[in-house]
Amino acid sequence: MGYLFGYMKPYGKMAIFAPLFMLLEVAMDVTQPKMMALIINQGVEPMDFAKILQYGVWMMVILLIGLAAGVLCNAFASVVSQNVGADLRQDLFSRVQTFTFRELDRFSTGTLITRMTNDVTQVQNFVQSAQQMMVRAPGLALGGLIMALTLNLSLGWIVGLAMITLSVFLFFLLRFSYPLFSQVQARLDDVNVVVQENLAGMRAIKAFVRRTFEMMRFGQVNERYTNIAIKAARVMALNMPVLTLIMNSSILIVLWFGGHEVWQHTMPIGNFVAYLNYVTQILSSLLMFSVIATNIAQAKVSADRISAVLQTAGSENVVADEATDATLFGAIEADHLSFSYGDDTNHELVLRDLSFRIEPGEQVAIIGSTGSGKSSFLQLLPRLYEATRGELRVDGKAISSIPLSLLRTKIGIVLQETILFRGSIRDNIAFGSPDATVDDVMRAAKIAQAHDFITRLPDGYATRIGQRGVTLSGGQKQRLAIARALLVNPSILLFDGSTSALDFKTEKLLLQALREEKQAVTTIMVAERIASIRDKEKILVLDDGQLVGAGKHEHLVATCSVYRDIYATQMGISIEDIEKQVV
Ligand SMILES: Nc1ncnc2c1ncn2[C@@H]1O[C@H](COP(=O)(O)OP(=O)(O)OP(=O)(O)O)[C@@H](O)[C@H]1O
Ligand SMILES: [Mg+2]
């Protein structure tokens, strides 16, 4: 939590002014009962109207100074806390940008959102109150105590007793509630994750009639959160009544013993009234301590969650302008390549000992059952993940020795999941190459078979998509993603199931256009349908992370049982029939 001081440093001057003004306000606050005592003792009792007026004016001045100090303190504290919040958000955001895919896997989107919003707000409130309440509470307690004792020493034991009772009570209260707060925060995180997932996947949920299940899932996390929040609230509910009890009892005791002193004329009535005021002031400042402690507990949890993100290495550093005019030819070579998503070596391997070669300009298809590792392999090439064992080479060089910016700009990847951003169609296609001309964008869109449907949209390439924009079909989105990858003019193109949402005709046109326009580009295409790849020069068959076949369609039908199975299933014929055909 200490790192927050570092964040306050740039606003150091203001961070000092705020507590100073707060001290001034406290000084004014504890002077007031004293003034009241003076008015009563020297003005009201002897019926001296001039004195009442004189002290009354003084009291007004004190009130106004206190008011001004309070406003200034708040203003300074707000500037500091808002800035700290903004800086934290900015740092979190920049840090997440440098995360590798592996690091991104560690944090769910939901928790990152909570950390960037709710947790930052929590910390921001803490920074604000650190400059206000955390100065005010001890100031008021101490100032009130000193003033009370100067008024009357013999009643001091009542104040002492009340303070001790209250402190003991608060101590136990906080010991109970402190751990609860961190649980509340963790459960809130769960709720956010489910909400985030559901909002993002609402369509899938409806399509798969998973509504009841998801409602149940949300119901569960929501209930767990509510239960723990109620538990924490229940503990805190003791706070107010017990405090009121202690406060009122102390006032009763002061009334009893103070009353006696007034009768015996050992204490002026004004002092008696002021004393009651001080007791209230002191005890309410102790209450403030409990609020502060709650505040610290919550802020600590949030501060830790923020620092967990900030402490993550974020090892990825792609400097956009480090790109040279170097290029890649597109020869790809896997050499005993193995990969696992886990960090440790005994984690299950998703790719196992892959070895193969792809020549520059070759068009290769990868096929294999779901979960066989196709996407994982493609993501290794632009180093979205790092290989665990073995080596992956491009143009004969280990990819780890190729500058990341070169690798990423020369490898165009269309991810399995199409991600579009809010903005115009043009902006989305030009996402990886903002300087592209309109002609370039159109050429890419034409190859991707997107041009026709784009020109039919109300505003053509300027049509806005995303929030409040038009909604595109899955196939249309895929084609935009393909155009985006084509536009960066890559030497290697990777398609991850990117034609799965296209109809046969469009897919055929796309593949044909690719072959004509991008002859020199090495293309690896993950395909679901054998029909769309059977004329490829090379087909790689993956099964459970292993390469079980490589070659042309006819060769694979004859030699690779996994391929034959897929083929038979897709063609709706039996294996025996295929075997007969082959023979
Ligand atoms: N981010 C990840 N973290 C951990 N494991 C993962 C991750 N992504 C995929 N896996 C696992 O790796 C294995 C291979 O997944 P991959 O996505 O490469 O399969 P795929 O062949 O692309 O499947 P599909 O045809 O369904 O797209 C699967 O067992 C999957 O559960
Ligand atoms: Mg996949």
Side-chain angles (χ1 to χ4, degrees), residues 468-499:
R468 287 194 297 270
V470 300
T471 314
L472 300 175
S473 76
Q476 290 170 333
K477 283 186 203 161
Q478 271 190 344
R479 279 176 276 171
L480 289 191
I482 294 172
R484 179 193 290 165
L486 290 172
L487 188 60
V488 296
N489 248 328
S491 316
I492 298 174
L493 261 172
L494 308 174
F495 293 105
D496 193 354
S498 324
T499 56

Short mmCIF file of all heavy atoms in Angstrom, two decimals, residues 468-499:
data_model
loop_
_atom_site.label_atom_id
_atom_site.label_comp_id
_atom_site.label_asym_id
_atom_site.label_seq_id
_atom_site.Cartn_x
_atom_site.Cartn_y
_atom_site.Cartn_z
N ARG A 468 -24.00 1.59 -31.25
CA ARG A 468 -24.83 2.54 -31.98
C ARG A 468 -24.57 2.53 -33.48
O ARG A 468 -25.07 3.38 -34.20
CB ARG A 468 -24.65 3.96 -31.43
CG ARG A 468 -25.33 4.15 -30.08
CD ARG A 468 -25.43 5.61 -29.76
NE ARG A 468 -24.13 6.23 -29.63
CZ ARG A 468 -23.45 6.32 -28.50
NH1 ARG A 468 -23.99 5.85 -27.40
NH2 ARG A 468 -22.29 6.89 -28.44
N GLY A 469 -23.75 1.61 -33.97
CA GLY A 469 -23.52 1.52 -35.41
C GLY A 469 -24.27 0.34 -35.98
O GLY A 469 -25.05 -0.30 -35.30
N VAL A 470 -24.02 0.03 -37.26
CA VAL A 470 -24.71 -1.11 -37.85
C VAL A 470 -24.13 -2.40 -37.28
O VAL A 470 -23.01 -2.44 -36.78
CB VAL A 470 -24.57 -1.13 -39.39
CG1 VAL A 470 -25.15 0.12 -39.99
CG2 VAL A 470 -23.12 -1.32 -39.79
N THR A 471 -24.94 -3.43 -37.35
CA THR A 471 -24.49 -4.73 -36.88
C THR A 471 -24.21 -5.61 -38.09
O THR A 471 -25.02 -5.66 -39.00
CB THR A 471 -25.57 -5.37 -36.00
OG1 THR A 471 -26.03 -4.37 -35.10
CG2 THR A 471 -25.03 -6.53 -35.23
N LEU A 472 -23.05 -6.25 -38.08
CA LEU A 472 -22.67 -7.06 -39.23
C LEU A 472 -22.89 -8.53 -38.94
O LEU A 472 -22.92 -8.95 -37.79
CB LEU A 472 -21.19 -6.84 -39.54
CG LEU A 472 -20.80 -5.40 -39.89
CD1 LEU A 472 -19.30 -5.30 -40.07
CD2 LEU A 472 -21.51 -4.94 -41.14
N SER A 473 -23.02 -9.31 -39.99
CA SER A 473 -23.16 -10.76 -39.82
C SER A 473 -21.79 -11.35 -39.50
O SER A 473 -20.75 -10.70 -39.72
CB SER A 473 -23.70 -11.39 -41.10
OG SER A 473 -22.67 -11.47 -42.05
N GLY A 474 -21.77 -12.59 -39.02
CA GLY A 474 -20.51 -13.23 -38.66
C GLY A 474 -19.56 -13.29 -39.84
O GLY A 474 -18.38 -12.99 -39.73
N GLY A 475 -20.10 -13.66 -41.02
CA GLY A 475 -19.27 -13.76 -42.21
C GLY A 475 -18.74 -12.40 -42.63
O GLY A 475 -17.60 -12.28 -43.10
N GLN A 476 -19.57 -11.37 -42.48
CA GLN A 476 -19.12 -10.02 -42.83
C GLN A 476 -17.99 -9.56 -41.91
O GLN A 476 -17.01 -8.99 -42.35
CB GLN A 476 -20.31 -9.05 -42.75
CG GLN A 476 -21.32 -9.28 -43.87
CD GLN A 476 -22.60 -8.50 -43.68
OE1 GLN A 476 -22.99 -8.17 -42.55
NE2 GLN A 476 -23.26 -8.19 -44.78
N LYS A 477 -18.16 -9.86 -40.63
CA LYS A 477 -17.11 -9.49 -39.68
C LYS A 477 -15.82 -10.20 -40.03
O LYS A 477 -14.74 -9.62 -40.01
CB LYS A 477 -17.53 -9.89 -38.26
CG LYS A 477 -18.53 -8.95 -37.64
CD LYS A 477 -18.75 -9.37 -36.19
CE LYS A 477 -20.08 -8.89 -35.68
NZ LYS A 477 -20.54 -9.60 -34.50
N GLN A 478 -15.94 -11.50 -40.33
CA GLN A 478 -14.75 -12.28 -40.68
C GLN A 478 -14.03 -11.67 -41.88
O GLN A 478 -12.81 -11.57 -41.89
CB GLN A 478 -15.15 -13.71 -41.02
CG GLN A 478 -15.16 -14.62 -39.81
CD GLN A 478 -15.33 -16.06 -40.19
OE1 GLN A 478 -15.73 -16.40 -41.30
NE2 GLN A 478 -15.03 -16.94 -39.25
N ARG A 479 -14.81 -11.23 -42.86
CA ARG A 479 -14.17 -10.69 -44.05
C ARG A 479 -13.47 -9.37 -43.74
O ARG A 479 -12.42 -9.07 -44.31
CB ARG A 479 -15.21 -10.54 -45.17
CG ARG A 479 -15.44 -11.87 -45.88
CD ARG A 479 -16.52 -11.77 -46.91
NE ARG A 479 -17.83 -11.96 -46.30
CZ ARG A 479 -18.98 -11.75 -46.94
NH1 ARG A 479 -18.96 -11.32 -48.20
NH2 ARG A 479 -20.12 -11.97 -46.34
N LEU A 480 -14.04 -8.57 -42.82
CA LEU A 480 -13.35 -7.35 -42.42
C LEU A 480 -12.02 -7.69 -41.75
O LEU A 480 -10.99 -7.05 -41.98
CB LEU A 480 -14.20 -6.53 -41.45
CG LEU A 480 -15.44 -5.84 -42.01
CD1 LEU A 480 -16.00 -4.87 -40.99
CD2 LEU A 480 -15.10 -5.10 -43.30
N ALA A 481 -12.05 -8.72 -40.90
CA ALA A 481 -10.83 -9.12 -40.20
C ALA A 481 -9.78 -9.61 -41.21
O ALA A 481 -8.58 -9.36 -41.06
CB ALA A 481 -11.14 -10.22 -39.19
N ILE A 482 -10.25 -10.30 -42.25
CA ILE A 482 -9.31 -10.77 -43.28
C ILE A 482 -8.71 -9.59 -44.03
O ILE A 482 -7.50 -9.50 -44.23
CB ILE A 482 -10.03 -11.74 -44.26
CG1 ILE A 482 -10.44 -13.01 -43.51
CG2 ILE A 482 -9.12 -12.09 -45.42
CD1 ILE A 482 -11.31 -13.96 -44.30
N ALA A 483 -9.58 -8.64 -44.40
CA ALA A 483 -9.09 -7.44 -45.10
C ALA A 483 -8.07 -6.72 -44.23
O ALA A 483 -7.04 -6.23 -44.72
CB ALA A 483 -10.26 -6.52 -45.43
N ARG A 484 -8.33 -6.66 -42.94
CA ARG A 484 -7.40 -6.00 -42.01
C ARG A 484 -6.03 -6.67 -42.05
O ARG A 484 -5.00 -6.00 -42.11
CB ARG A 484 -7.99 -6.08 -40.61
CG ARG A 484 -7.11 -5.45 -39.56
CD ARG A 484 -7.57 -5.83 -38.17
NE ARG A 484 -8.84 -5.22 -37.82
CZ ARG A 484 -9.59 -5.60 -36.80
NH1 ARG A 484 -9.22 -6.62 -36.05
NH2 ARG A 484 -10.72 -5.00 -36.54
N ALA A 485 -6.04 -8.02 -42.05
CA ALA A 485 -4.76 -8.74 -42.07
C ALA A 485 -4.06 -8.57 -43.41
O ALA A 485 -2.83 -8.48 -43.47
CB ALA A 485 -5.01 -10.22 -41.78
N LEU A 486 -4.84 -8.51 -44.49
CA LEU A 486 -4.23 -8.37 -45.82
C LEU A 486 -3.58 -7.01 -45.98
O LEU A 486 -2.54 -6.86 -46.63
CB LEU A 486 -5.30 -8.55 -46.91
CG LEU A 486 -5.85 -9.96 -47.09
CD1 LEU A 486 -7.02 -9.93 -48.06
CD2 LEU A 486 -4.76 -10.89 -47.58
N LEU A 487 -4.20 -5.99 -45.38
CA LEU A 487 -3.77 -4.62 -45.61
C LEU A 487 -2.36 -4.35 -45.08
O LEU A 487 -1.66 -3.49 -45.61
CB LEU A 487 -4.78 -3.65 -44.98
CG LEU A 487 -4.57 -2.18 -45.28
CD1 LEU A 487 -4.64 -1.93 -46.77
CD2 LEU A 487 -5.62 -1.35 -44.56
N VAL A 488 -1.94 -5.06 -44.06
CA VAL A 488 -0.61 -4.79 -43.52
C VAL A 488 0.48 -5.37 -44.44
O VAL A 488 1.67 -5.25 -44.14
CB VAL A 488 -0.42 -5.33 -42.08
CG1 VAL A 488 -1.33 -4.63 -41.12
CG2 VAL A 488 -0.63 -6.83 -42.03
N ASN A 489 0.05 -5.96 -45.54
CA ASN A 489 0.99 -6.49 -46.51
C ASN A 489 1.97 -7.49 -45.93
O ASN A 489 3.19 -7.33 -46.01
CB ASN A 489 1.79 -5.36 -47.14
CG ASN A 489 1.41 -5.22 -48.59
OD1 ASN A 489 1.08 -6.22 -49.23
ND2 ASN A 489 1.43 -4.01 -49.09
N PRO A 490 1.45 -8.52 -45.35
CA PRO A 490 2.31 -9.46 -44.65
C PRO A 490 3.04 -10.41 -45.60
O PRO A 490 2.63 -10.56 -46.75
CB PRO A 490 1.34 -10.24 -43.78
CG PRO A 490 0.06 -10.19 -44.52
CD PRO A 490 0.04 -8.93 -45.32
N SER A 491 4.10 -11.03 -45.12
CA SER A 491 4.77 -12.07 -45.88
C SER A 491 4.21 -13.43 -45.52
O SER A 491 4.39 -14.41 -46.23
CB SER A 491 6.27 -12.10 -45.56
OG SER A 491 6.77 -10.82 -45.53
N ILE A 492 3.57 -13.46 -44.36
CA ILE A 492 2.95 -14.71 -43.91
C ILE A 492 1.54 -14.38 -43.46
O ILE A 492 1.32 -13.44 -42.70
CB ILE A 492 3.74 -15.32 -42.72
CG1 ILE A 492 5.16 -15.67 -43.15
CG2 ILE A 492 3.02 -16.55 -42.18
CD1 ILE A 492 6.05 -16.14 -42.00
N LEU A 493 0.59 -15.13 -43.93
CA LEU A 493 -0.80 -14.90 -43.55
C LEU A 493 -1.32 -16.11 -42.78
O LEU A 493 -1.15 -17.24 -43.23
CB LEU A 493 -1.65 -14.71 -44.79
CG LEU A 493 -2.00 -13.28 -45.21
CD1 LEU A 493 -2.68 -13.31 -46.57
CD2 LEU A 493 -2.90 -12.62 -44.19
N LEU A 494 -1.91 -15.86 -41.66
CA LEU A 494 -2.44 -16.96 -40.87
C LEU A 494 -3.94 -16.77 -40.72
O LEU A 494 -4.40 -15.74 -40.27
CB LEU A 494 -1.79 -16.97 -39.48
CG LEU A 494 -0.26 -16.95 -39.45
CD1 LEU A 494 0.25 -16.81 -38.02
CD2 LEU A 494 0.30 -18.21 -40.10
N PHE A 495 -4.69 -17.76 -41.13
CA PHE A 495 -6.14 -17.70 -40.99
C PHE A 495 -6.56 -18.77 -40.00
O PHE A 495 -6.35 -19.94 -40.23
CB PHE A 495 -6.83 -18.00 -42.32
CG PHE A 495 -6.60 -16.95 -43.35
CD1 PHE A 495 -5.74 -17.17 -44.40
CD2 PHE A 495 -7.28 -15.74 -43.27
CE1 PHE A 495 -5.54 -16.20 -45.36
CE2 PHE A 495 -7.08 -14.77 -44.23
CZ PHE A 495 -6.21 -14.99 -45.28
N ASP A 496 -7.17 -18.35 -38.91
CA ASP A 496 -7.61 -19.35 -37.94
C ASP A 496 -9.13 -19.54 -38.06
O ASP A 496 -9.91 -18.83 -37.46
CB ASP A 496 -7.25 -18.89 -36.52
CG ASP A 496 -7.40 -20.03 -35.53
OD1 ASP A 496 -7.89 -21.09 -35.95
OD2 ASP A 496 -7.03 -19.86 -34.36
N GLY A 497 -9.49 -20.52 -38.84
CA GLY A 497 -10.91 -20.80 -39.02
C GLY A 497 -11.67 -19.60 -39.53
O GLY A 497 -12.84 -19.40 -39.26
N SER A 498 -10.95 -18.79 -40.31
CA SER A 498 -11.50 -17.48 -40.65
C SER A 498 -12.48 -17.52 -41.79
O SER A 498 -13.05 -16.52 -42.16
CB SER A 498 -10.37 -16.53 -41.03
OG SER A 498 -9.26 -16.79 -40.25
N THR A 499 -12.67 -18.69 -42.35
CA THR A 499 -13.64 -18.75 -43.43
C THR A 499 -14.82 -19.60 -43.00
O THR A 499 -15.70 -19.92 -43.80
CB THR A 499 -13.01 -19.35 -44.70
OG1 THR A 499 -12.48 -20.63 -44.38
CG2 THR A 499 -11.88 -18.48 -45.21
#
